[in-house]
Amino acid sequence: MSSRGTPSRFLASVLRNGLGRYVPQLKRISIVFSKNAQSSLGVRDFIEEGVVDYAKKNPGTVVYVSPQTCRIPKVVAEYLNGNVREEFVTSKTAPQISELLTKLANQSGQEIMRLRKPFHTDNPSIQGQWHPFTNRPPAIGPIRPQKQDSV
């Protein structure tokens, strides 16, 4: 697959992050699960054990826990730039869900794609290539003047 067929973008700072204090990009986490379904067992364990610790580690993120009648438990992450990601957590354990939430908190919400260089030139550098007009051999004779002995 060629690199021209894949989407790409230029590197940019998200919301000028790094110019002041760090602003976490994850705005809201919603954990949707069923109270009775077997596929939600790991989510229920995570809610009992680790959701309070996660909320303490990420004070800038709002955590919603909503029990609903659903077959597939999921985690919905909403970012400051408006992007929404849904991750299905069917039959995952509490540590795996904690890992997933940490990964979502460390991302910026933008799609993962190839980064492009912010510059382009039609005339590449010839540095290191020899050319007769720009790279001339040293002048004939000694490079440093030598002292002559006086007789």
Side-chain angles (χ1 to χ4, degrees), residues 126 129-137:
I126 61 166
Q129 298 175 359
W130 187 84
H131 192 270
F133 297 117
T134 56
N135 300 94
R136 296 184 183 185

Side-chain angles (χ1 to χ4, degrees), residues 113-128:
M113 61 177 56
R114 184 175 59 93
L115 294 177
R116 297 177 64 185
K117 296 178 183 175
F119 51 83
H120 172 76
T121 179
D122 290 329
N123 302 316
S125 172
I126 61 166
Q127 191 174 20

